[in-house]
Amino acid sequence: MSVPTEKRQGSLFAVSVLGAALFQSAADRYRVFREKILPCLWAVREQLAALYCADNGRPAIEPVLALGVTLLQFMEKVPDRKAQENLRLHLGWKYALDVELGYAGVDHSSLGKFRDRLLAGGAARIGFDALLQGLRAAGLVRARGKQRLDSTHVLGAVAKMGRLEVVRETIRLVLRHLCRVGVHHQLGSWAVWHERYVDSQIAWHRLNPAGLKEKSEQAGCDALELIKWLRLQPAALRESDQALLLQRVFLEQYELGSDEQPQRRPTEASGVVQNPHDPEVQWATKDLAKTTQWEGYKVQIAETVAADGQPKPKGEPTEQFITEVTTTEAIASDLDGRRRLEQNQEERGQGVADELYVDAAYVTDDTLAEAREHGRELIGPARPSANAAGSSLFAADAFDVDIAKRTAICPAGHESRQCSHLENHHTGHVDYRFEWAGLCATCALQKQCTTSRSGRRMVVVGEHHDLLQQRRRDMQTDEFQRLLLRRNAIEGTISEFTRGGGRRSRYRGLAKTALANYFQGAAVNAHRWIRLMQWHKEQEPIEQAA
């Protein structure tokens, strides 16, 4: 499709003219949207126009209008069909987007095609960046500075399936694909498999363990036979998405025994397919106790922190805004998520924060050393050290370690006799091992320190352990506890993000979920900007009276 001719000239039939009396209040949210946010969207029209053909094809709807509708759609939590209706009938939407009163709107499918165009053109975050640039121009967001960071989970837009259901559904999708391309008649077992996987529905709650095992073995044999048949077909069929997905699911769920028959794997590995309708959805948990587990994705959210670090008085809107929304796989660690987020910030001109407030998931000896090397502050609690030999024994925290001097003082006050440098030549990771040799034999605290047969205690720490040790000591001070309070507001931001629709993805796939999260982040910023402008308008009469 070709890009339409840009039309910025006002019309006598625009709602801003005919319905101006309805939006007289300078604090009206649709008026604030039109005056503050719509110009930010028009500022990126040239980038949007680059996604279309210059002079070939039927003219598309105005891309700035499509971007504005999509943003309002996320701000007001409405689906495509309701957004289509609002654009046609809602005076507030018409005023905010500056369209004529009689504008008939667009078909709801055009919004989906617009999102696909954004993804295809690598412009998934254009709406988020447009708003962020407007906030920078208004002096509400500045590069680097102080920020806080946290992550939350995003549920996938698919149903939860058991392992056997995943295999059977994947086979069904392959059979439907073969039927669509018209080659199903070449498959010898087509009639049996079509009845078994396409026409039949299993009452899972009625199957006993023996029945489930039989179904699993049957699905494994059928999947293997289907894979062997597909490998003999032309590349277009052999390398189709459905065929490759079937091979992946089979390898994740089965292994070949000595008789070359598929046997169900005892356990699932990390990152396996949870639902063939969205293979990128992954199962993950936040802790070893599995108190919080989900199937979907993870999102890292960073926002600004006030220069003085002080919270706003009650009733006064926040002046802090989201600076980055990075969507990752569910099993990605927070450390990896932070690295990706900061890389995105660098590429977009926001830069890495000079002071970053985080929780314990982001604080390690390596991250503290990295922050010190670059002259930055990483402010967050460190996790307590653990003793693999038993919780009743002294942990590494009880030892005063000095990496520079290669010495360590044990809880009994003895200085270490030996320090060994341990380096992994594959990863480059360096550890130090401290030993006390014969001092442990006569120590009164030996039973509280080690249960080894030799009766000697060894302590292995990373090369930057002294930074971690100092952080754990800082955590005991009132000053550090006051600093940690600056991180708390990110919990409210994540709550606002999830309540606005960010908890469950609207779409399938990591790329589309990332696009939705960028628009969700833009919606949060838009709400905050509008509320801030409304508050300033409300304060003007009070200030004038004073």
Side-chain angles (χ1 to χ4, degrees):
M1 301 182 76
S2 63
V3 62
T5 303
E6 180 177 353
K7 296 180 180 179
R8 298 293 299 274
Q9 185 176 356
S11 168
L12 292 175
F13 299 99
V15 176
S16 57
V17 176
L18 297 179
L22 300 175
F23 304 95
Q24 282 184 341
S25 172
D28 183 273
R29 60 188 177 124
Y30 293 113
R31 179 170 177 174
V32 177
F33 184 100
R34 181 173 178 270
E35 294 176 350
K36 296 294 183 180
I37 298 175
L38 188 60
C40 299
L41 306 185
W42 275 105
V44 297
R45 189 184 189 277
E46 187 175 343
Q47 300 174 43
L48 290 170
L51 304 176
Y52 297 81
C53 297
D55 54 3
N56 185 28
R58 178 170 58 87
I61 63 172
E62 171 56 51
V64 175
L65 176 62
L67 186 61
V69 170
T70 305
L71 179 56
L72 280 171
Q73 181 180 357
F74 277 82
M75 290 176 65
E76 301 193 2
K77 297 193 295 184
V78 298
D80 289 349
R81 291 180 184 274
K82 182 62 177 177
Q84 171 195 4
E85 180 180 318
N86 284 356
L87 184 59
R88 184 170 61 91
L89 301 175
H90 198 298
L91 286 180
W93 279 44
K94 287 179 179 287
Y95 183 87
L97 298 171
D98 199 18
V99 297
E100 293 185 354
L101 182 64
Y103 184 68
V106 299
D107 187 79
H108 68 89
S109 62
S110 298
L111 298 176
K113 293 175 181 176
F114 176 71
R115 293 191 297 268
D116 291 340
R117 190 176 294 276
L118 293 180
L119 286 173
R125 56 180 298 154
I126 191 169
F128 179 82
D129 287 341
L131 229 67
L132 195 59
Q133 188 59 39
L135 290 168
R136 289 198 194 104
L140 296 172
V141 171
R142 68 184 185 91
R144 302 187 183 279
K146 300 178 181 179
Q147 297 181 28
R148 43 187 166 239
L149 169 67
D150 204 355
S151 66
T152 190
H153 61 279
V154 178
L155 303 177
V158 289
K160 186 175 182 179
M161 285 186 168
R163 295 176 62 180
L164 178 55
E165 288 179 289
V166 171
V167 178
R168 290 180 59 89
E169 182 65 11
T170 306
I171 295 175
R172 188 184 73 85
L173 293 179
V174 173
L175 296 178
R176 291 187 60 185
H177 177 66
L178 296 179
C179 187
R180 281 196 299 269
V181 298
V183 297
H184 58 285
H185 60 278
Q186 301 177 18
L187 195 59
S189 304
W190 167 258
V192 176
W193 286 351
H194 189 274
E195 180 181 357
R196 183 177 295 167
Y197 297 105
V198 180
D199 289 342
S200 300
Q201 291 186 354
I202 297 178
W204 297 101
H205 63 284
R206 295 183 179 180
L207 286 179
N208 55 29
L212 287 172
K213 182 179 180 182
E214 179 185 352
K215 292 289 185 184
S216 178
E217 293 174 350
Q218 181 185 74
C221 293
D222 292 344
L224 180 58
E225 184 179 345
L226 185 53
I227 289 171
K228 290 179 178 178
W229 181 83
L230 286 168
R231 288 178 176 175
L232 302 176
Q233 304 308 308
L237 191 60
R238 182 177 66 247
E239 299 176 3
S240 63
D241 293 341
Q242 293 82 359
L244 295 177
L245 179 60
L246 177 62
Q247 295 181 47
R248 176 185 170 185
V249 169
F250 178 81
L251 292 174
E252 290 174 347
Q253 299 295 339
Y254 296 93
E255 56 187 356
L256 295 181
S258 57
D259 57 354
E260 295 299 315
Q261 292 300 308
Q263 298 177 354
R264 187 173 181 265
R265 294 184 183 273
T267 58
E268 286 185 304
S270 176
V272 301
V273 174
Q274 299 296 324
N275 189 308
H277 294 281
D278 187 353
E280 294 177 299
V281 160
Q282 297 174 339
W283 177 90
T285 182
K286 294 195 72 172
D287 48 46
L288 295 178
K290 299 181 180 180
T291 54
T292 301
Q293 50 184 305
W294 74 95
E295 293 180 1
Y297 305 93
K298 184 187 284 187
V299 60
Q300 303 282 339
I301 299 177
E303 73 167 350
T304 57
V305 177
D308 59 3
Q310 299 302 314
K312 289 285 186 180
K314 187 175 181 180
E316 187 173 335
T318 180
E319 293 183 2
Q320 311 314 316
F321 297 90
I322 295 176
T323 58
E324 180 57 37
V325 179
T326 298
T327 307
T328 67
E329 304 83 2
I331 61 174
S333 69
D334 284 333
L335 296 177
D336 181 47
R338 177 198 165 197
R339 179 189 58 80
R340 298 193 211 180
L341 179 139
E342 291 181 342
Q343 181 179 350
N344 289 340
Q345 288 185 320
E346 285 281 20
E347 292 174 353
R348 299 291 169 172
Q350 179 61 32
V352 180
D354 298 321
E355 288 185 22
L356 186 62
Y357 297 85
V358 296
D359 62 18
Y362 302 88
V363 179
T364 67
D365 53 350
D366 291 331
T367 56
L368 289 172
E370 180 186 11
R372 183 180 65 175
E373 179 183 352
H374 292 91
R376 303 176 189 138
E377 289 287 339
L378 181 63
I379 303 173
R383 286 174 172 158
S385 62
N387 193 327
S391 59
S392 61
L393 303 179
F394 290 125
D397 284 352
F399 296 78
D400 188 2
V401 179
D402 191 329
I403 297 294
K405 295 181 179 179
R406 304 292 193 267
T407 60
I409 308 297
C410 74
H414 300 304
E415 184 175 329
S416 58
R417 292 284 184 85
Q418 181 179 346
C419 176
S420 304
H421 179 275
L422 311 175
E423 182 174 357
N424 187 318
H425 294 291
H426 295 288
T427 64
H429 182 75
V430 175
D431 286 323
Y432 289 95
R433 182 177 63 208
F434 296 91
E435 302 176 58
W436 282 260
L439 292 176
C440 295
T442 58
C443 182
L445 301 179
Q446 184 191 42
K447 298 299 183 183
Q448 297 173 253
C449 199
T450 181
T451 57
S452 66
R453 292 183 180 180
S454 66
R456 298 181 178 184
R457 175 65 186 266
M458 292 185 296
V459 173
V460 180
V461 297
E463 62 178 324
H464 304 299
H465 177 77
D466 50 349
L467 297 177
L468 201 58
Q469 181 176 252
Q470 185 59 47
R471 176 54 53 87
R472 288 170 179 150
R473 292 171 179 170
D474 292 342
M475 288 165 55
Q476 307 305 317
T477 65
D478 293 339
E479 181 182 357
F480 190 82
Q481 292 299 322
R482 285 193 295 269
L483 280 178
L484 288 182
L485 294 177
R486 299 181 181 182
R487 192 205 72 87
N488 294 351
I490 191 66
E491 302 293 347
T493 298
I494 287 180
S495 175
E496 185 177 357
F497 180 88
T498 56
R499 284 184 285 110
R503 176 60 73 208
R504 179 178 293 277
S505 177
R506 291 175 175 234
Y507 317 118
R508 294 176 181 174
L510 179 59
K512 288 186 176 182
T513 300
L515 177 142
N517 287 339
Y518 275 125
F519 273 108
Q520 196 64 55
V524 171
N525 281 346
H527 277 303
R528 292 185 174 187
W529 197 359
I530 290 173
R531 179 67 190 107
L532 185 61
M533 293 299 101
Q534 289 175 327
W535 185 82
H536 283 313
K537 293 296 182 182
E538 293 167 359
Q539 296 305 304
E540 286 180 359
I542 300 176
E543 294 173 357
Q544 291 173 359

